[in-house]
Amino acid sequence: MSAVQTSVAPRTEGPITPDSPVKSPATVDAPVLPAAGRSEVPAAPAPPPSEPYPADRALHAMIARMTGGIAPVALSLAYLDWASHLAAAPQRRMEIAQDAVRDAGKLFQAAAHAVSPDRKPWSVIKPQAHDRRFAKPEWENFPFNLLAQSFLLGEQWWRKATTGVRGVAPENEAIVEFSVRQVLDMLAPSNFAATNPEVLQKAFQSGGENFVFGWQNWCDDLKQALSGGKSSGDERFVVGKTVAASSGKVVYRNQLMELIQYRPTTDKVRPEPILIVPAWIMKYYILDLSPRNSLVKYLTGEGFTVFAISWRNPDEGDRNVAFDDYRRLGVKAALDTIGCIVPRRKVHALGYCLGGTLLSIAAAAMARDGDNRLMSITLLAAQTDFTEAGELTLFINESQVTFLEDIMHERGYLDTTQMAGAFQLLRSNDLIWSRLSHDYLMGERVPSSDLMAWNADATRLPYRMHSEYLRQLFLNNDLAEGRYHVEGRNVSLSDIHAPMFVVGTLNDHVAPWRSVYKIHYQVDADVTFLLTSGGHNAGVVAPPGQPGHTYQVMTKAADAPYIGRDEWKAQAPHFEGSWWPEWTKWLVARSGEPCDPPRMGLENVDRMPDAPGEYVHT
């Protein structure tokens, strides 16, 4: 469903072009802003050239439906590399075989003493602390204890067999180890009713009622998947009512985004507004969830004027939207609008995930061109160097990117299911198999939360944008290595001199904190780096008052010596609680004295919708 209303300019094939620049009340030149309720109309560019090899693309798209979007050639080459080098390493094969014999002997010995009164439940191998599959005491009983230990030994053996083979390319070794782990996770005894003592106990206590409830849960999920509706329990979280409910107004709209200005909740506000640039991989309201954990609500309560970008969910008509269009019609257009609403004021800019990468590019281009509108830059779980981007890079090589391009070419965008599936594979135990056991075998439902409802509200990615993102940033690492171009000229992160507050999350599978940390030697600015507990989403959405949050923080001046990542982690002081107050204290130190709140929007703003706007519903 397209979000474009009658007041929004029609889309055109090819990249979107900006309006001609003229003087505005902002501190630098900015494009003319349309009156509220209208959008800028881009000039129609020349039609894009025809794509080569349409039959090959169609074949790849058909194969992708059977492989879940994984390129079979990339997977085959990785296994060929591993198997060939292992075949040429007889001593390594002998060592692997000896490990198998030794493990079998230990397991046989444990089985012989399985009913002994002085036996230890985990005498051969113990589950790791983060492995919750066998954490319940029921797994310590015979024969389930032997089943669990047998599986863990096999898992350990395969890990040794697929890693450490001399001569194998590191990226191929990672692919083989990862894919074998996915198969083993699927075969875990916790995934089957007959080998899971928790399920059997539940069936005995309920007379098999758990299987009836599990069947109902499966049918509900299947119906939801086929219809595209909300998951069971998500009905409690309605965008604009229970989530994304902070009071505000859409003050600007174009083909790509709506800019929301939130109403102040204090009598006085800091003169410098905050602009939130979210990722367009998911909906913007990750930072405006329920009132109890909304960062937007927290910031307005602390006396800040907050603006946020809400990206439009693209469809087949947006196949030629470029990555730079998000900078021009996103970050740049938002700053121009803010400059008209709050003239002669610098802006605290915040970028989350891919929005942080975009903000870094925009900030580097602004610094190159002498545009000094940014008072500070905050990056949340955002990478600017992609050489250590975690297991997500397993899906990024020339073969896989070409395969993805062919998948996207058919529809003009990357579907939500393919994006969600890739992220689920990174944490398959937590996001796939534990749910299978809990929902379908135990017949129970995990109570839905606002974060889970947001996570299910997925978005699509335009064909051209995603191809440019994967090739220029992930595959070629152009931004970190100084080859990235904005408006035909190179940009360098070293041109950024505005103070930066950078947040990494300890258990991030999408943007590992060690990768995020690289910003220290990329920019010429004071960098306050904060490492918080939690993952990519739960670590960021960490409001005060919630137990279990911890963080470390330390500032490096622009001219101070570089500190390595592990050295930083050992030196940085630890704190209990949410990192939000630490960040707002940092913002206050770089803001002016409180003043009267600015006006809401531009002229005729009443014609625009209230927050959360219209694009968020698509």
Side-chain angles (χ1 to χ4, degrees):
M1 170 180 167
S2 174
V4 180
Q5 312 296 324
T6 56
S7 62
V8 182
R11 293 183 300 274
T12 58
E13 292 297 314
I16 303 168
T17 58
D19 290 333
S20 301
V22 297
K23 283 287 183 178
S24 82
T27 56
V28 297
D29 287 350
V32 171
L33 294 171
R38 299 199 305 274
S39 298
E40 52 195 271
V41 182
S50 59
E51 298 287 350
Y53 310 114
D56 296 351
R57 289 179 178 272
L59 175 62
H60 293 165
M62 181 182 68
I63 295 173
R65 297 188 185 98
M66 298 180 286
T67 64
I70 303 298
V73 174
L75 196 62
S76 300
L77 289 175
Y79 271 91
L80 180 62
D81 186 11
W82 168 72
S84 300
H85 283 90
L86 185 61
Q91 186 175 353
R92 182 77 170 92
R93 296 201 312 273
M94 180 66 71
E95 182 184 68
I96 293 172
Q98 290 173 344
D99 288 342
V101 172
R102 183 180 65 251
D103 290 345
K106 289 181 179 179
L107 191 65
F108 180 80
Q109 187 176 14
H113 299 86
V115 294
S116 174
D118 58 345
R119 72 173 182 89
K120 296 181 180 178
W122 304 105
S123 58
V124 180
I125 187 172
K126 186 176 182 180
Q128 295 183 9
H130 60 80
D131 191 346
R132 295 180 291 179
R133 292 172 295 182
F134 313 114
K136 294 292 181 67
E138 288 86 350
W139 286 98
E140 297 181 359
N141 299 324
F142 177 82
F144 306 106
N145 179 260
L146 285 178
L147 283 172
Q149 291 186 97
S150 175
F151 171 78
L152 292 172
L153 283 173
E155 194 175 50
Q156 177 181 267
W157 184 85
W158 273 107
R159 189 179 300 112
K160 291 179 180 178
T162 54
T163 58
V165 179
R166 298 178 68 247
V168 179
E171 58 272 18
N172 288 334
E173 178 184 275
I175 290 173
V176 171
E177 192 273 334
F178 178 82
S179 58
V180 168
R181 176 157 36 97
Q182 299 307 310
V183 175
L184 291 174
D185 288 344
M186 180 177 62
L187 298 176
S190 55
N191 297 336
F192 303 94
T195 55
N196 189 325
E198 301 174 57
V199 174
L200 293 176
Q201 185 180 56
K202 181 78 171 182
F204 179 78
Q205 293 173 346
S206 66
E209 195 177 52
N210 57 307
F211 296 123
V212 177
F213 291 148
W215 171 256
Q216 293 175 346
N217 291 340
W218 184 83
C219 291
D220 290 343
D221 289 345
L222 178 62
K223 186 188 304 182
Q224 180 267 331
L226 294 176
S227 66
K230 285 181 173 291
S231 302
S232 178
D234 286 355
E235 297 82 3
R236 296 187 294 116
F237 303 103
V238 180
V239 174
K241 294 183 179 179
T242 53
V243 293
S246 294
S247 179
K249 194 80 175 174
V250 173
V251 295
Y252 175 73
R253 171 196 285 164
N254 59 32
Q255 303 94 315
L256 209 53
M257 67 91 173
E258 290 178 328
L259 181 65
I260 301 171
Q261 179 181 357
Y262 292 96
R263 289 188 172 86
T265 58
T266 55
D267 294 334
K268 299 288 184 179
V269 299
R270 297 288 172 177
E272 296 82 8
I274 295 175
L275 170 63
I276 295 176
V277 183
W280 51 94
I281 291 178
M282 300 295 284
K283 299 293 179 68
Y284 85 95
Y285 63 90
I286 176 66
L287 299 180
D288 186 25
L289 289 172
S290 303
R292 64 180 178 83
N293 59 358
S294 166
L295 180 60
V296 168
K297 182 176 184 297
Y298 178 79
L299 288 173
T300 56
E302 292 293 310
F304 289 97
T305 299
V306 179
F307 294 83
I309 291 174
S310 174
W311 302 106
R312 186 175 62 78
N313 198 4
D315 56 27
E316 60 276 2
D318 300 300
R319 63 182 306 113
N320 289 306
V321 172
F323 188 90
D324 195 56
D325 290 329
Y326 282 85
R327 179 193 65 85
R328 292 188 293 109
L329 294 182
V331 179
K332 186 174 184 296
L335 288 172
D336 294 339
T337 308
I338 294 171
C340 291
I341 297 172
V342 193
R344 295 175 295 279
R345 297 294 187 185
K346 292 190 175 184
V347 177
H348 295 297
L350 176 151
Y352 182 21
C353 186
L354 182 54
T357 306
L358 178 69
L359 176 60
S360 300
I361 293 171
M366 292 170 67
R368 178 199 66 186
D369 298 337
D371 184 340
N372 63 349
R373 282 180 287 176
L374 297 183
M375 174 66 76
S376 72
I377 301 168
T378 297
L379 304 180
L380 307 182
Q383 298 179 94
T384 49
D385 183 301
F386 293 84
T387 52
E388 295 181 89
E391 289 185 332
L392 198 60
T393 56
L394 300 179
F395 301 93
I396 311 300
N397 52 50
E398 185 63 42
S399 176
Q400 182 64 56
V401 169
T402 301
F403 198 66
L404 280 175
E405 287 173 339
D406 293 347
I407 296 170
M408 294 187 293
H409 181 264
E410 185 179 48
R411 290 184 174 179
Y413 56 81
L414 186 68
D415 201 350
T416 58
T417 56
Q418 292 164 329
M419 177 62 65
F423 286 120
Q424 286 179 339
L425 283 177
L426 298 181
R427 297 177 56 201
S428 58
N429 273 334
D430 294 331
L431 300 180
I432 299 176
W433 304 116
S434 65
R435 180 181 178 184
L436 180 148
S437 175
H438 188 272
D439 288 17
Y440 305 149
L441 299 183
M442 297 291 286
E444 301 173 354
R445 282 286 196 191
V446 176
S448 186
S449 66
D450 50 8
L451 191 58
M452 292 170 62
W454 166 85
N455 193 60
D457 193 6
T459 59
R460 299 174 289 271
L461 300 177
Y463 163 62
R464 177 177 172 181
M465 182 285 301
H466 199 48
S467 176
E468 292 176 346
Y469 168 58
L470 293 178
R471 288 193 174 278
Q472 296 181 29
L473 297 179
F474 260 98
L475 200 58
N476 300 331
N477 205 31
D478 286 346
L479 178 61
E481 297 179 13
R483 294 187 299 270
Y484 194 86
H485 285 75
V486 171
E487 297 177 349
R489 293 187 294 150
N490 285 86
V491 296
S492 174
L493 296 173
S494 62
D495 289 336
I496 297 176
H497 304 300
M500 302 187 71
F501 192 97
V502 182
V503 177
T505 59
L506 191 60
N507 301 315
D508 201 325
H509 296 269
V510 179
W513 77 266
R514 285 180 167 83
S515 180
V516 174
Y517 186 86
K518 293 181 179 182
I519 196 71
H520 278 87
Y521 55 76
Q522 293 177 314
V523 299
D524 184 18
D526 296 345
V527 177
T528 298
F529 188 80
L530 185 145
L531 178 63
T532 181
S533 57
H536 188 70
N537 298 324
V540 171
V541 184
Q546 286 188 0
H549 295 301
T550 62
Y551 65 90
Q552 296 176 257
V553 63
M554 194 159 64
T555 298
K556 173 193 172 298
D559 57 354
Y562 172 73
I563 300 176
R565 295 172 295 189
D566 294 332
E567 186 180 358
W568 181 95
K569 195 171 186 302
Q571 292 181 10
H574 291 256
F575 299 93
E576 297 287 334
S578 167
W579 63 269
W580 290 7
E582 184 77 30
W583 177 50
T584 52
K585 182 173 66 175
W586 183 88
L587 286 176
V588 167
R590 289 155 183 82
S591 301
E593 292 299 317
C595 60
D596 293 332
R599 61 175 176 167
M600 287 294 296
L602 303 170
E603 64 276 5
N604 300 324
V605 71
D606 291 338
R607 297 171 56 186
M608 298 294 277
D610 291 333
E614 295 171 351
Y615 285 177
V616 74
H617 295 291
T618 59

